[in-house]
Amino acid sequence: MGSSRAAWVFVLGMAGALAPPLPHSVFPRRPFSARMITASPILSPVTMRIARSGAWWSVRLPHGAWLWLNRATRRAYRWLPSGACVAVPFRPPPGLQPFLWRGRIRRQALGTGTLRGYAAVIQQIRVRRRSRPSVVFTAWTAPALGGLPLRIQMFTPSGPLEIQYEDFRLHAPAREPAAPPPSCSADMGRTRATHTLETVG
């Protein structure tokens, strides 16, 4: 009896040791908002305001439009200044993608530094995703912000890309619309949004 139980404990222990690690998020999954500036050699810098609240991400696009993405359901909606709300494909802006990637994470320390007054840890991060190509990028993360990034550099099929994150607010956005108005349709059709969207600078 004792030897049989010991054998089962050994088998279960080996199974746990051989099991692949669970997927992890690249960055902490906490509520926050920040200004995101994306630039590349072929594009002028684009500034957007991003915020996370639960599964929802909100992105204040240039020219007054809004984009909402739900990480859990992979649904996305775009609100236009005209008041129209459109269901759109789930295609996050490049600067938001590192927050949405999940997989087996491998980090390599490259050093430390100071960026915009924060002590920063510089790392090369590799994300191995199931059935999709791995992603490699360099991140400057701030321990004072719970490990959120201040700067990211990566290469894309279109060339190098750099993203800066500024003006972090480490709380759930109080006045920014964290989710699309109820009048947004779950289908790919076009509906009229009836809510006035309050924004912060």
Side-chain angles (χ1 to χ4, degrees), residues 20-196:
L22 295 174
H24 296 286
S25 296
V26 177
F27 298 117
R29 305 177 68 184
R30 60 178 300 171
F32 76 92
S33 65
R35 185 166 56 248
M36 179 177 73
I37 305 168
T38 307
S40 73
I42 61 174
L43 295 174
S44 299
V46 177
T47 300
M48 294 177 274
R49 186 85 192 173
I50 63 172
R52 176 180 181 147
S53 181
W56 283 104
W57 285 88
S58 64
V59 183
R60 190 169 65 185
L61 302 168
H63 312 300
W66 284 84
L67 175 68
W68 293 278
L69 303 108
N70 190 300
R71 177 64 179 82
T73 63
R74 298 189 68 80
R75 287 181 175 174
Y77 304 88
R78 183 170 179 146
W79 184 90
L80 306 175
S82 63
C85 187
V86 187
V88 296
F90 188 90
R91 292 175 184 165
L96 197 64
Q97 289 177 3
F99 290 95
L100 301 175
W101 287 329
R102 288 175 61 82
R104 295 176 62 181
I105 310 299
R106 181 178 179 181
R107 302 175 186 267
Q108 178 182 352
L110 300 180
T112 59
T114 302
L115 191 59
R116 291 190 293 281
Y118 288 98
V121 177
I122 309 170
Q123 303 176 80
Q124 183 187 79
I125 301 176
R126 179 183 295 272
V127 187
R128 293 180 58 187
R129 302 177 294 170
R130 293 178 181 174
S131 305
R132 305 187 69 179
S134 296
V135 179
V136 181
F137 61 96
T138 302
W140 285 252
T141 60
L145 297 174
L148 292 172
L150 300 171
R151 178 184 181 188
I152 288 174
Q153 288 182 337
M154 58 187 299
F155 288 90
T156 71
S158 302
L161 182 69
E162 178 167 298
I163 306 105
Q164 304 274 355
Y165 302 94
E166 304 175 348
D167 189 22
F168 272 98
R169 304 176 189 182
L170 302 181
H171 53 75
R175 296 181 58 213
E176 295 178 358
S183 56
C184 281
S185 171
D187 301 320
M188 295 297 289
R190 182 181 296 268
T191 62
R192 177 65 56 177
T194 58
H195 285 57
T196 300

